[in-house]
Amino acid sequence: MSQTPEVDHGSMTEVTPDRKRVLTGMRTTGELHLGHYVGALEEWLRIQKEGDHECFFLLADVQALTTHTKDPAKLTQSVRDVALDWLAVGLDPNLPNIHFVLQSQIPERYELSAQFMMIAKYGEVMRNPTLKDEQARQDQENVSLGFIAYPVDQAADIYMVSPTPPQAGDQLLVPVGEDQLPHLELARVLGRRFNKQYGHVFVPCEGLVGKVGRLVGTDGKAKMSKSMGNSISLSDSEADVAEKVRRMFTDPKRIRPDMPGETENNPVFIYLRAFNPNLEEVQELTERYQQGKVGDVEVKRILAQRLNEFLEPIRERRAKYAGTDIREFLEEGTRVTREAAKPVIESVREKMHLYYPPPK
Ligand code: TRP
């Protein structure tokens, strides 16, 4: 029999509480889609609900400049779009432990980034598989130095809220999609290297990947992405969703509904498994599809309906927040983050001997 033990708050006052922090973020390059939801937001919401972590959610507008150079004026709108998407899915910066943070507004972060640039090695950055993938999609002649260095810069995002001075029990969690894991590995290496070379400042950061680390696109391609035109946005209307689902790829070998079909790698079934809470329905459709007893049209009709049911509360919350001044949330979150970053930067300067020489 399990019973919640009585907590004697009186006896806990002696103990310094563990500092459990979460820092994660998204590039502000436009509205978010279902891939962001299952790859990251679902996990962020779970952590918010648990309530025992201080969470810093970063709107990475500086990092957006690594790829989105053409139309700078769009960046402001993108910051708004992403913040509104976050509110719409249920992240709540009114809670005392939830902070929305605007990356560009934290001077301490740029400083830590410059310091990490000095300990990161060119070779290790160039081997980063996610960076290589993204680089392959860029105009090679015009890739900026900031783009190449962004995984290092991202380590500064994470470590600027490293509990300082570090104590046993402190945590720094980074819930992200699968593609971010090489960046986290680099951050861990940099934290460790700094600690060894200059003295102990950083707690190790830990990556957390949700149950669907990467969602296929509606065209069955490896990754849902707005720029690839294979995404369903969290802000899409009911009709848009229905139309996008109608055009989705399924099992390419199945040309008639009475043929046995493949469900494991079939995007329609991947989405059903990710977004349909009715497991029995998913199971039953899977069996019928495999036996050639249900057509694509019907499966898609059900998927569109379930996706719209999933998106409905998100749409409602979006409407509720439409008139909100998000600037207030961002200012407050950014202020709290700078408070957390100050002791980090002070320790780093001290350990790296970056200060005016004292009088002899
Ligand atoms: N690279 C992440 C993305 O592409 C965004 C990001 C910026 C991030 N800084 C971060 C993620 C720090 C985790 C931790 O969306």
Side-chain angles (χ1 to χ4, degrees):
M1 198 180 75
S2 82
Q3 227 183 353
T4 319
E6 285 284 345
V7 179
D8 176 0
H9 292 282
S11 69
M12 286 172 69
T13 51
E14 307 278 303
V15 193
T16 316
D18 293 345
R19 287 166 299 182
K20 295 168 144 200
R21 290 185 179 163
V22 165
L23 184 135
T24 186
M26 286 183 184
R27 257 181 227 183
T28 53
T29 54
E31 54 198 32
L32 305 182
H33 52 61
L34 294 179
H36 292 109
Y37 189 90
V38 287
L41 295 170
E42 192 170 34
E43 192 68 6
W44 302 11
L45 286 162
R46 188 186 61 73
I47 295 168
Q48 168 175 288
K49 200 162 164 199
E50 274 179 12
D52 60 346
H53 284 80
E54 180 150 40
C55 300
F56 301 89
F57 297 132
L58 191 73
L59 296 144
D61 57 344
V62 180
Q63 195 179 104
L65 295 174
T66 59
T67 48
H68 286 55
T69 48
K70 297 261 156 53
D71 191 354
K74 271 198 181 151
L75 200 55
T76 316
Q77 188 54 44
S78 292
V79 167
R80 243 182 248 287
D81 287 345
V82 174
L84 193 55
D85 275 327
W86 286 0
L87 291 167
V89 297
L91 293 175
D92 186 0
N94 287 308
L95 296 170
N97 60 326
I98 303 296
H99 314 294
F100 286 6
V101 186
L102 190 56
Q103 189 191 27
S104 60
Q105 302 307 306
I106 307 167
E108 293 79 6
R109 199 203 67 84
Y110 296 101
E111 180 171 342
L112 188 57
S113 179
Q115 287 146 344
F116 277 136
M117 294 291 166
M118 298 304 161
I119 61 167
K121 297 191 198 316
Y122 178 75
E124 74 194 339
V125 174
M126 299 315 281
R127 280 194 299 274
N128 182 308
T130 294
L131 188 71
K132 279 192 191 165
D133 274 4
E134 290 175 343
Q135 200 184 348
R137 284 186 257 132
Q138 306 275 318
D139 168 8
Q140 297 305 316
E141 283 299 299
N142 291 311
V143 167
S144 71
L145 204 49
F147 171 80
I148 297 295
Y150 97 78
V152 182
D153 187 67
Q154 184 162 323
D157 293 340
I158 297 168
Y159 281 122
M160 71 175 162
V161 297
S162 185
T164 305
Q167 286 159 13
D170 287 344
Q171 274 186 5
L172 185 51
L173 301 182
V174 190
V176 282
E178 205 174 70
D179 62 323
Q180 297 293 304
L181 290 179
H183 301 341
L184 273 187
E185 186 46 36
L186 177 69
R188 288 173 65 84
V189 167
L190 294 179
R192 220 182 295 134
R193 189 175 297 154
F194 183 99
N195 287 349
K196 196 162 159 233
Q197 210 165 317
Y198 293 104
H200 198 191
V201 173
F202 302 114
V203 307
C205 60
E206 306 279 345
L208 278 181
V209 177
K211 64 180 192 304
V212 186
R214 177 193 304 247
L215 189 68
V216 293
T218 52
D219 57 0
K221 294 227 176 82
K223 194 180 167 186
M224 181 176 280
S225 142
K226 193 170 168 235
S227 58
M228 285 162 75
N230 63 5
S231 65
I232 295 178
S233 296
L234 298 175
S235 53
D236 277 347
S237 70
E238 213 175 312
D240 286 344
V241 172
E243 179 55 20
K244 285 183 180 177
V245 170
R246 201 182 61 74
R247 293 201 314 253
M248 268 180 79
F249 283 46
T250 57
D251 175 357
K253 296 207 199 70
R254 188 180 194 240
I255 47 178
R256 288 192 328 263
D258 60 354
M259 286 172 69
E262 201 280 325
T263 53
E264 191 54 35
N265 300 309
N266 185 326
V268 171
F269 280 89
I270 293 175
Y271 289 12
L272 275 172
R273 290 192 292 270
F275 295 100
N276 187 350
N278 184 342
L279 302 180
E280 268 169 45
E281 183 177 66
V282 178
Q283 180 64 27
E284 191 234 33
L285 281 171
T286 303
E287 281 163 18
R288 283 170 62 204
Y289 199 86
Q290 288 168 348
Q291 294 158 0
K293 287 184 180 154
V294 62
D296 280 354
V297 176
E298 186 180 347
V299 182
K300 284 180 169 182
R301 186 184 56 75
I302 294 168
L303 174 63
Q305 199 179 332
R306 297 292 170 257
L307 283 180
N308 275 320
E309 283 161 11
F310 164 77
L311 289 170
E312 202 42 44
I314 297 178
R315 292 184 186 122
E316 278 165 24
R317 252 184 258 110
R318 181 185 305 280
K320 195 182 93 188
Y321 279 113
T324 307
D325 181 7
I326 54 160
R327 180 177 176 140
E328 273 173 40
F329 293 135
L330 300 190
E331 280 179 353
E332 175 60 14
T334 302
R335 188 187 63 73
V336 174
T337 307
R338 291 192 66 186
E339 286 304 310
K342 269 180 197 129
V344 179
I345 282 298
E346 273 163 25
S347 297
V348 169
R349 282 189 192 168
E350 191 199 308
K351 303 273 194 219
M352 284 185 132
H353 288 257
L354 297 167
Y355 42 69
Y356 292 111
K360 269 200 83 171

